[in-house]
Amino acid sequence: MRHTAWYIIQAIMTTESLTITRPDDWHLHLRDGDVLNSVAPFTAKQFQRAIVMPNLKPAVTTVKQAVDYLDRVLAAVEGSDFEPLMTLYLTDNTSADEIVAAHKSCFIKGVKLYPAGATTNSDEGVTDIRRCDAVLEEMQRAGLPLLVHGEVTDGSVDVFDREKVFIDRVLIPTMERFPELKIVFEHITTADAVDFVTESGPRIGATITVHHLMYSRNAMFEGGIRPHHYCLPVLKRERHRQALLRAIASGKPGFFLGTDSAPHDKKLKESSCGCAGIFSAHAAIELYATVFDAIGELDKLEAFASFYGPDFYGLPRNSSTITLEKSEQTIPESYPMADGSVVPLMAGKTIPWTLKPDNA
Ligand code: NCD
Ligand code: ZN
């Protein structure tokens, strides 16, 4: 018996733990209605704030719609101190006045550019960025960041090259026309994007998802077609994943956490035309910790997850903390979502890091 007690004490003493400033998620899909109510608590238990994407149906294109959506998000996380940061969905018809109103609202923190047809619910998106010049001018004046889904939609461009081509055809010319406009290059997936952000000045930031850090495109075809590893931008070659790992290991402030957690019902993913999107909100910070730990860069996690995002957006860093412990958890095969279910990233697998519950 004496021995048993000693072993328990030793186990407690040797549990590796990591306390960091509470992180934020700078790119998140919360959806609406019953799905929103199912998924939002996952984010609220880990993150203080999140940039909430506006690609609902219909899209959140006005300040009025954003206020109503904000209310629904707040209702879904009642009892937590989670703070949603809202965004507007840019269309060919967005007016400069809407941007003025968005800026005045104080709760809208960015305007999202979806090239029309690029991804889930992007059909109301922008057909040609030059149509938005008056809006971009106003955003530049207001200091309101443009959040870009950085892929061209030209059907003649290979799906795996769409991010690189976007840099040349859309991003660089837009930056030249609006030299002060702040831009977040969302969910970057290629060495080209890493190099581009590294070489750009501080007005360009980039979010990096945990799934693009964990997987190359092989994961979509492992023993068969794997719909739960399908997202947009699509997973890329291993050399691109390595470039993303080097970006987070560099500790450069241009790269920060954005999960792009994008829940879709299991049935809609496991279909002859499955939806794009990977759900990672259930264990996002634990999965990022696992990646940083695996490359021996755990000391860089806090700045990536908790400092560089607010610094870019000009917001205060959070003052509370969370604690992660190096103790294994097994991810469920699925979670209930509305009247269906969602298959999470790493479903059925075991990961080495766990968020300490009393800090959650
Ligand atoms: C996102 C979604 O489902 O809303 N899907 C995805 O694959 N990431 C949209 C997006 O961010 O492209
Ligand atoms: Zn997204």
Side-chain angles (χ1 to χ4, degrees):
M1 286 306 285
R2 270 171 46 216
H3 281 103
T4 312
W6 186 84
Y7 281 125
I8 291 169
I9 290 166
Q10 194 188 41
I12 292 167
M13 285 172 60
T14 54
T15 299
E16 198 183 325
S17 78
L18 176 70
T19 297
I20 58 167
T21 301
R22 184 173 286 272
D24 305 301
D25 184 349
W26 299 95
H27 183 129
L28 175 67
H29 299 271
L30 284 176
R31 314 304 191 203
D32 211 344
D34 292 341
V35 174
L36 165 65
N37 294 328
S38 302
V39 299
F42 287 109
T43 294
K45 82 172 186 242
Q46 305 162 53
F47 295 103
Q48 181 73 51
R49 298 170 286 195
I51 285 276
V52 180
M53 289 294 139
N55 62 332
L56 305 183
K57 267 202 139 16
V60 179
T61 56
T62 65
V63 176
K64 166 81 177 82
Q65 286 171 305
V67 179
D68 293 346
Y69 187 32
L70 172 64
D71 284 345
R72 299 196 295 277
V73 174
L74 287 172
V77 295
E78 215 185 320
S80 80
D81 61 357
F82 175 70
E83 204 186 319
L85 308 173
M86 307 311 282
T87 56
L88 282 192
Y89 185 115
L90 188 62
T91 73
D92 286 353
N93 302 318
T94 305
S95 69
D97 287 349
E98 201 67 50
I99 300 301
V100 174
H103 181 54
K104 276 205 197 123
S105 79
C106 287
F107 69 90
I108 293 175
K109 299 298 180 193
V111 178
K112 181 69 190 272
L113 164 67
Y114 287 105
T119 186
T120 308
N121 297 350
S122 63
D123 31 310
E124 294 174 64
V126 172
T127 58
D128 180 353
I129 182 86
R130 285 169 189 271
R131 293 183 175 213
C132 302
D133 275 5
V135 161
L136 298 180
E137 187 75 52
E138 192 52 51
M139 287 170 60
Q140 177 170 257
R141 194 172 10 249
L144 197 58
L146 178 70
L147 318 180
V148 300
H149 183 107
E151 290 190 290
V152 293
T153 53
D154 181 344
S156 68
V157 177
D158 190 283
V159 166
F160 293 93
D161 296 334
R162 288 182 182 179
E163 186 172 278
K164 179 180 169 16
V165 174
F166 181 89
I167 295 173
D168 299 329
R169 286 196 197 164
V170 183
L171 198 50
I172 293 174
T174 305
M175 286 168 62
E176 282 168 4
R177 290 206 309 287
F178 300 96
E180 308 287 326
L181 181 65
K182 284 170 82 170
I183 299 175
V184 182
F185 197 168
E186 300 287 352
H187 41 52
I188 58 167
T189 62
T190 57
D192 311 275
V194 169
D195 290 347
F196 183 76
V197 173
T198 304
E199 286 154 21
S200 302
R203 72 172 172 127
I204 308 295
T207 51
I208 303 184
T209 78
V210 76
H211 46 275
H212 289 106
L213 291 167
M214 292 174 69
Y215 293 111
S216 74
R217 64 190 189 178
N218 283 5
M220 282 188 299
F221 309 108
E222 209 189 321
I225 188 88
R226 298 287 181 172
H228 297 291
H229 283 154
Y230 174 57
C231 63
L232 286 169
V234 71
L235 296 171
K236 301 295 192 301
R237 281 182 180 277
E238 177 63 11
R239 84 172 173 86
H240 293 295
R241 188 180 80 91
Q242 291 298 330
L244 296 176
L245 291 173
R246 281 197 299 278
I248 61 166
S250 75
K252 291 214 162 71
F255 302 104
F256 44 88
L257 186 157
T259 61
D260 192 20
S261 177
H264 290 278
D265 189 90
K266 182 173 189 275
K267 288 199 209 75
L268 297 176
K269 300 243 349 136
E270 297 174 5
S271 119
S272 62
C273 185
C275 299
I278 292 178
F279 179 66
S280 60
H282 59 296
I285 194 64
E286 291 119 312
L287 290 165
Y288 278 106
T290 301
V291 169
F292 276 79
D293 193 15
I295 60 170
E297 301 284 356
L298 214 42
D299 59 327
K300 306 255 173 62
L301 175 66
E302 184 178 38
F304 174 81
S306 315
F307 296 164
Y308 298 154
D311 294 356
F312 180 88
Y313 277 86
L315 294 169
R317 295 176 179 180
N318 296 322
S319 49
S320 62
T321 59
I322 59 162
T323 298
L324 292 151
E325 285 179 339
K326 197 158 188 179
S327 70
E328 288 188 345
Q329 60 166 313
T330 300
I331 306 292
E333 294 287 351
S334 70
Y335 289 100
M337 187 174 75
D339 53 4
S341 64
V342 62
V343 176
L345 186 61
M346 293 290 277
K349 306 236 170 73
T350 297
I351 64 169
W353 285 88
T354 302
L355 185 64
K356 206 175 157 194
D358 54 344
N359 271 283

Short mmCIF file of all heavy atoms in Angstrom, two decimals, residues 21-24 26 49 182 184 202 204-207 247-257 292 299-318:
data_model
loop_
_atom_site.label_atom_id
_atom_site.label_comp_id
_atom_site.label_asym_id
_atom_site.label_seq_id
_atom_site.Cartn_x
_atom_site.Cartn_y
_atom_site.Cartn_z
N THR A 21 -1.49 32.04 -21.41
CA THR A 21 -2.56 33.02 -21.53
C THR A 21 -3.69 32.40 -22.33
O THR A 21 -3.44 31.70 -23.32
CB THR A 21 -2.01 34.28 -22.25
OG1 THR A 21 -0.91 34.77 -21.48
CG2 THR A 21 -3.07 35.35 -22.41
N ARG A 22 -4.93 32.66 -21.90
CA ARG A 22 -6.07 32.05 -22.62
C ARG A 22 -6.02 32.42 -24.11
O ARG A 22 -5.88 33.60 -24.46
CB ARG A 22 -7.39 32.51 -22.01
CG ARG A 22 -8.60 31.84 -22.63
CD ARG A 22 -9.87 32.20 -21.88
NE ARG A 22 -9.96 31.51 -20.60
CZ ARG A 22 -10.50 30.30 -20.43
NH1 ARG A 22 -11.00 29.65 -21.45
NH2 ARG A 22 -10.53 29.75 -19.24
N PRO A 23 -6.10 31.43 -24.99
CA PRO A 23 -5.97 31.71 -26.42
C PRO A 23 -7.26 32.22 -27.06
O PRO A 23 -8.33 32.20 -26.43
CB PRO A 23 -5.60 30.34 -27.01
CG PRO A 23 -6.19 29.35 -26.05
CD PRO A 23 -6.20 30.00 -24.69
N ASP A 24 -7.16 32.68 -28.29
CA ASP A 24 -8.29 33.10 -29.11
C ASP A 24 -8.22 32.33 -30.43
O ASP A 24 -7.14 31.93 -30.87
CB ASP A 24 -8.20 34.61 -29.45
CG ASP A 24 -8.08 35.48 -28.22
OD1 ASP A 24 -8.98 35.43 -27.37
OD2 ASP A 24 -7.07 36.22 -28.11
N TRP A 26 -8.82 32.85 -34.31
CA TRP A 26 -8.98 33.97 -35.26
C TRP A 26 -9.64 33.57 -36.58
O TRP A 26 -9.63 34.36 -37.53
CB TRP A 26 -7.63 34.68 -35.46
CG TRP A 26 -7.19 35.22 -34.14
CD1 TRP A 26 -6.34 34.62 -33.26
CD2 TRP A 26 -7.66 36.41 -33.48
NE1 TRP A 26 -6.25 35.36 -32.10
CE2 TRP A 26 -7.04 36.46 -32.22
CE3 TRP A 26 -8.55 37.44 -33.84
CZ2 TRP A 26 -7.29 37.50 -31.30
CZ3 TRP A 26 -8.79 38.47 -32.94
CH2 TRP A 26 -8.17 38.49 -31.70
N ARG A 49 -11.94 34.48 -27.13
CA ARG A 49 -12.61 35.18 -28.24
C ARG A 49 -12.45 34.36 -29.51
O ARG A 49 -11.57 33.50 -29.61
CB ARG A 49 -11.92 36.55 -28.48
CG ARG A 49 -11.98 37.49 -27.31
CD ARG A 49 -11.09 38.70 -27.51
NE ARG A 49 -9.67 38.37 -27.35
CZ ARG A 49 -8.69 39.24 -27.18
NH1 ARG A 49 -8.96 40.54 -27.13
NH2 ARG A 49 -7.44 38.87 -27.06
N LYS A 182 -5.05 46.51 -43.98
CA LYS A 182 -4.62 45.33 -43.21
C LYS A 182 -5.33 44.10 -43.77
O LYS A 182 -6.54 44.13 -44.01
CB LYS A 182 -5.00 45.50 -41.74
CG LYS A 182 -4.09 46.47 -41.00
CD LYS A 182 -4.62 46.78 -39.63
CE LYS A 182 -4.26 45.72 -38.63
NZ LYS A 182 -4.59 46.16 -37.23
N VAL A 184 -5.68 39.73 -43.50
CA VAL A 184 -5.36 38.40 -42.96
C VAL A 184 -5.54 37.38 -44.07
O VAL A 184 -6.64 37.24 -44.62
CB VAL A 184 -6.26 38.01 -41.76
CG1 VAL A 184 -5.83 36.65 -41.21
CG2 VAL A 184 -6.21 39.06 -40.66
N PRO A 202 4.21 44.18 -41.57
CA PRO A 202 3.31 43.80 -40.47
C PRO A 202 1.82 43.97 -40.78
O PRO A 202 0.99 43.53 -40.00
CB PRO A 202 3.73 44.73 -39.33
CG PRO A 202 4.48 45.85 -39.98
CD PRO A 202 5.08 45.30 -41.24
N ILE A 204 0.27 42.43 -43.04
CA ILE A 204 -0.23 41.14 -43.51
C ILE A 204 -0.04 40.10 -42.41
O ILE A 204 1.09 39.86 -41.96
CB ILE A 204 0.51 40.65 -44.78
CG1 ILE A 204 0.51 41.72 -45.86
CG2 ILE A 204 -0.09 39.34 -45.30
CD1 ILE A 204 -0.85 42.08 -46.41
N GLY A 205 -1.15 39.49 -41.99
CA GLY A 205 -1.08 38.38 -41.05
C GLY A 205 -1.61 37.13 -41.74
O GLY A 205 -2.15 37.20 -42.84
N ALA A 206 -1.44 35.98 -41.08
CA ALA A 206 -1.96 34.73 -41.65
C ALA A 206 -2.40 33.81 -40.52
O ALA A 206 -1.69 33.68 -39.52
CB ALA A 206 -0.89 34.03 -42.48
N THR A 207 -3.54 33.18 -40.72
CA THR A 207 -3.95 32.14 -39.77
C THR A 207 -3.50 30.78 -40.31
O THR A 207 -3.38 30.59 -41.52
CB THR A 207 -5.48 32.12 -39.56
OG1 THR A 207 -6.14 32.09 -40.83
CG2 THR A 207 -5.94 33.33 -38.78
N ALA A 247 6.98 27.75 -40.28
CA ALA A 247 6.40 29.08 -39.99
C ALA A 247 6.07 29.20 -38.51
O ALA A 247 6.40 30.21 -37.88
CB ALA A 247 5.15 29.30 -40.84
N ILE A 248 5.44 28.18 -37.92
CA ILE A 248 5.09 28.30 -36.49
C ILE A 248 6.35 28.21 -35.62
O ILE A 248 6.43 28.84 -34.58
CB ILE A 248 4.01 27.29 -36.04
CG1 ILE A 248 4.45 25.83 -36.23
CG2 ILE A 248 2.69 27.55 -36.76
CD1 ILE A 248 3.56 24.82 -35.49
N ALA A 249 7.33 27.43 -36.09
CA ALA A 249 8.57 27.31 -35.32
C ALA A 249 9.39 28.60 -35.39
O ALA A 249 10.23 28.85 -34.53
CB ALA A 249 9.39 26.13 -35.84
N SER A 250 9.14 29.41 -36.42
CA SER A 250 9.92 30.65 -36.57
C SER A 250 9.58 31.65 -35.47
O SER A 250 10.35 32.55 -35.17
CB SER A 250 9.63 31.30 -37.94
OG SER A 250 8.35 31.93 -37.92
N GLY A 251 8.38 31.49 -34.88
CA GLY A 251 7.96 32.44 -33.84
C GLY A 251 7.67 33.83 -34.39
O GLY A 251 7.59 34.80 -33.64
N LYS A 252 7.48 33.94 -35.69
CA LYS A 252 7.23 35.26 -36.30
C LYS A 252 5.79 35.71 -36.00
O LYS A 252 4.85 34.91 -36.07
CB LYS A 252 7.44 35.19 -37.81
CG LYS A 252 8.89 34.98 -38.20
CD LYS A 252 9.20 35.73 -39.51
CE LYS A 252 10.68 35.92 -39.72
NZ LYS A 252 11.39 34.68 -40.04
N PRO A 253 5.60 36.99 -35.70
CA PRO A 253 4.27 37.46 -35.28
C PRO A 253 3.22 37.47 -36.39
O PRO A 253 2.04 37.63 -36.12
CB PRO A 253 4.53 38.89 -34.79
CG PRO A 253 5.86 39.27 -35.31
CD PRO A 253 6.63 38.02 -35.57
N GLY A 254 3.62 37.29 -37.64
CA GLY A 254 2.65 37.27 -38.73
C GLY A 254 1.78 36.03 -38.76
O GLY A 254 0.75 36.00 -39.44
N PHE A 255 2.18 34.99 -38.03
CA PHE A 255 1.44 33.72 -38.07
C PHE A 255 0.72 33.50 -36.75
O PHE A 255 1.35 33.51 -35.70
CB PHE A 255 2.40 32.56 -38.33
CG PHE A 255 3.20 32.72 -39.61
CD1 PHE A 255 4.54 33.10 -39.58
CD2 PHE A 255 2.59 32.51 -40.85
CE1 PHE A 255 5.27 33.27 -40.75
CE2 PHE A 255 3.31 32.68 -42.03
CZ PHE A 255 4.65 33.06 -41.99
N PHE A 256 -0.60 33.31 -36.82
CA PHE A 256 -1.33 33.08 -35.58
C PHE A 256 -2.45 32.05 -35.76
O PHE A 256 -2.75 31.61 -36.87
CB PHE A 256 -1.81 34.38 -34.95
CG PHE A 256 -2.44 35.38 -35.88
CD1 PHE A 256 -3.78 35.35 -36.15
CD2 PHE A 256 -1.66 36.39 -36.47
CE1 PHE A 256 -4.36 36.28 -36.99
CE2 PHE A 256 -2.23 37.33 -37.31
CZ PHE A 256 -3.59 37.28 -37.58
N LEU A 257 -3.05 31.69 -34.62
CA LEU A 257 -3.98 30.55 -34.57
C LEU A 257 -5.34 30.90 -35.18
O LEU A 257 -5.96 31.89 -34.81
CB LEU A 257 -4.15 30.13 -33.11
CG LEU A 257 -4.97 28.88 -32.78
CD1 LEU A 257 -4.55 28.31 -31.42
CD2 LEU A 257 -6.46 29.09 -32.82
N PHE A 292 2.91 21.44 -31.63
CA PHE A 292 4.09 22.20 -31.17
C PHE A 292 5.03 21.30 -30.37
O PHE A 292 6.25 21.40 -30.49
CB PHE A 292 3.65 23.41 -30.32
CG PHE A 292 3.27 24.63 -31.12
CD1 PHE A 292 2.04 24.73 -31.74
CD2 PHE A 292 4.17 25.68 -31.29
CE1 PHE A 292 1.68 25.86 -32.49
CE2 PHE A 292 3.83 26.82 -32.03
CZ PHE A 292 2.58 26.91 -32.63
N ASP A 299 7.36 25.99 -26.40
CA ASP A 299 7.49 27.34 -25.84
C ASP A 299 7.00 28.42 -26.82
O ASP A 299 6.84 29.57 -26.43
CB ASP A 299 8.95 27.61 -25.42
CG ASP A 299 9.91 27.47 -26.59
OD1 ASP A 299 9.64 26.63 -27.49
OD2 ASP A 299 10.90 28.21 -26.64
N LYS A 300 6.75 28.04 -28.07
CA LYS A 300 6.25 29.02 -29.04
C LYS A 300 4.72 29.02 -29.13
O LYS A 300 4.12 29.84 -29.82
CB LYS A 300 6.81 28.71 -30.45
CG LYS A 300 8.33 28.61 -30.50
CD LYS A 300 8.92 29.85 -31.16
CE LYS A 300 10.43 29.90 -31.11
NZ LYS A 300 11.10 28.80 -31.79
N LEU A 301 4.09 28.07 -28.44
CA LEU A 301 2.63 27.94 -28.56
C LEU A 301 1.90 29.19 -28.06
O LEU A 301 0.96 29.67 -28.69
CB LEU A 301 2.14 26.70 -27.77
CG LEU A 301 0.61 26.51 -27.72
CD1 LEU A 301 0.04 26.21 -29.11
CD2 LEU A 301 0.23 25.38 -26.75
N GLU A 302 2.32 29.72 -26.93
CA GLU A 302 1.56 30.81 -26.30
C GLU A 302 1.48 32.04 -27.20
O GLU A 302 0.41 32.63 -27.38
CB GLU A 302 2.16 31.18 -24.95
CG GLU A 302 1.33 32.26 -24.24
CD GLU A 302 1.88 32.63 -22.87
OE1 GLU A 302 3.12 32.69 -22.72
OE2 GLU A 302 1.06 32.87 -21.96
N ALA A 303 2.60 32.43 -27.78
CA ALA A 303 2.58 33.64 -28.62
C ALA A 303 1.71 33.41 -29.85
O ALA A 303 0.93 34.29 -30.25
CB ALA A 303 4.01 34.01 -29.03
N PHE A 304 1.81 32.23 -30.44
CA PHE A 304 1.02 31.89 -31.64
C PHE A 304 -0.48 31.89 -31.31
O PHE A 304 -1.30 32.37 -32.08
CB PHE A 304 1.47 30.52 -32.13
CG PHE A 304 0.66 29.95 -33.26
CD1 PHE A 304 0.89 30.34 -34.57
CD2 PHE A 304 -0.34 28.99 -33.02
CE1 PHE A 304 0.15 29.79 -35.63
CE2 PHE A 304 -1.08 28.45 -34.06
CZ PHE A 304 -0.85 28.85 -35.36
N ALA A 305 -0.82 31.31 -30.15
CA ALA A 305 -2.23 31.10 -29.81
C ALA A 305 -2.86 32.30 -29.09
O ALA A 305 -4.07 32.48 -29.16
CB ALA A 305 -2.35 29.85 -28.93
N SER A 306 -2.04 33.09 -28.40
CA SER A 306 -2.62 34.08 -27.49
C SER A 306 -2.10 35.51 -27.65
O SER A 306 -2.70 36.43 -27.10
CB SER A 306 -2.36 33.64 -26.04
OG SER A 306 -2.62 32.27 -25.86
N PHE A 307 -0.98 35.70 -28.36
CA PHE A 307 -0.42 37.07 -28.44
C PHE A 307 -0.54 37.68 -29.84
O PHE A 307 -0.97 38.82 -30.01
CB PHE A 307 1.06 37.09 -28.05
CG PHE A 307 1.33 36.69 -26.60
CD1 PHE A 307 2.63 36.35 -26.21
CD2 PHE A 307 0.33 36.68 -25.66
CE1 PHE A 307 2.90 36.00 -24.88
CE2 PHE A 307 0.58 36.32 -24.34
CZ PHE A 307 1.87 35.97 -23.95
N TYR A 308 -0.09 36.95 -30.86
CA TYR A 308 0.05 37.57 -32.18
C TYR A 308 -1.28 37.94 -32.83
O TYR A 308 -1.34 38.92 -33.57
CB TYR A 308 0.85 36.66 -33.12
CG TYR A 308 2.27 36.39 -32.65
CD1 TYR A 308 2.94 35.23 -33.04
CD2 TYR A 308 2.95 37.29 -31.84
CE1 TYR A 308 4.23 34.97 -32.62
CE2 TYR A 308 4.25 37.03 -31.41
CZ TYR A 308 4.88 35.86 -31.81
OH TYR A 308 6.16 35.61 -31.39
N GLY A 309 -2.33 37.18 -32.51
CA GLY A 309 -3.66 37.50 -33.06
C GLY A 309 -4.16 38.84 -32.54
O GLY A 309 -4.43 39.76 -33.34
N PRO A 310 -4.30 39.00 -31.20
CA PRO A 310 -4.76 40.30 -30.70
C PRO A 310 -3.83 41.44 -31.09
O PRO A 310 -4.29 42.56 -31.37
CB PRO A 310 -4.79 40.12 -29.17
CG PRO A 310 -4.11 38.83 -28.88
CD PRO A 310 -4.16 38.01 -30.12
N ASP A 311 -2.53 41.17 -31.14
CA ASP A 311 -1.59 42.24 -31.53
C ASP A 311 -1.92 42.70 -32.95
O ASP A 311 -1.95 43.90 -33.23
CB ASP A 311 -0.14 41.75 -31.49
CG ASP A 311 0.33 41.43 -30.08
OD1 ASP A 311 -0.44 41.66 -29.12
OD2 ASP A 311 1.46 40.92 -29.94
N PHE A 312 -2.19 41.76 -33.86
CA PHE A 312 -2.49 42.13 -35.24
C PHE A 312 -3.78 42.94 -35.31
O PHE A 312 -3.86 43.96 -36.01
CB PHE A 312 -2.60 40.90 -36.14
CG PHE A 312 -2.90 41.25 -37.57
CD1 PHE A 312 -1.88 41.53 -38.46
CD2 PHE A 312 -4.21 41.36 -38.01
CE1 PHE A 312 -2.16 41.91 -39.77
CE2 PHE A 312 -4.50 41.74 -39.32
CZ PHE A 312 -3.48 42.01 -40.20
N TYR A 313 -4.79 42.49 -34.59
CA TYR A 313 -6.11 43.14 -34.65
C TYR A 313 -6.17 44.42 -33.79
O TYR A 313 -7.19 45.09 -33.76
CB TYR A 313 -7.20 42.17 -34.21
CG TYR A 313 -7.69 41.24 -35.30
CD1 TYR A 313 -7.03 40.04 -35.58
CD2 TYR A 313 -8.81 41.56 -36.07
CE1 TYR A 313 -7.48 39.18 -36.58
CE2 TYR A 313 -9.27 40.71 -37.07
CZ TYR A 313 -8.61 39.52 -37.32
OH TYR A 313 -9.06 38.68 -38.31
N GLY A 314 -5.10 44.70 -33.06
CA GLY A 314 -5.10 45.89 -32.21
C GLY A 314 -6.01 45.74 -31.00
O GLY A 314 -6.60 46.70 -30.52
N LEU A 315 -6.11 44.52 -30.48
CA LEU A 315 -6.95 44.25 -29.31
C LEU A 315 -6.05 43.87 -28.14
O LEU A 315 -4.92 43.39 -28.35
CB LEU A 315 -7.91 43.09 -29.63
CG LEU A 315 -8.94 43.41 -30.72
CD1 LEU A 315 -9.67 42.15 -31.16
CD2 LEU A 315 -9.93 44.45 -30.23
N PRO A 316 -6.55 44.03 -26.92
CA PRO A 316 -5.71 43.64 -25.77
C PRO A 316 -5.51 42.13 -25.71
O PRO A 316 -6.38 41.37 -26.14
CB PRO A 316 -6.52 44.12 -24.55
CG PRO A 316 -7.91 44.30 -25.04
CD PRO A 316 -7.85 44.59 -26.51
N ARG A 317 -4.37 41.71 -25.19
CA ARG A 317 -4.18 40.28 -24.94
C ARG A 317 -5.04 39.88 -23.75
O ARG A 317 -5.34 40.70 -22.89
CB ARG A 317 -2.70 40.00 -24.63
CG ARG A 317 -1.79 40.28 -25.82
CD ARG A 317 -0.33 40.08 -25.42
NE ARG A 317 0.57 40.32 -26.55
CZ ARG A 317 1.89 40.21 -26.48
NH1 ARG A 317 2.47 39.85 -25.34
NH2 ARG A 317 2.64 40.44 -27.54
N ASN A 318 -5.44 38.62 -23.70
CA ASN A 318 -6.27 38.15 -22.59
C ASN A 318 -5.46 38.13 -21.29
O ASN A 318 -4.24 37.96 -21.31
CB ASN A 318 -6.81 36.74 -22.88
CG ASN A 318 -7.75 36.76 -24.07
OD1 ASN A 318 -8.52 37.70 -24.24
ND2 ASN A 318 -7.67 35.74 -24.91
#
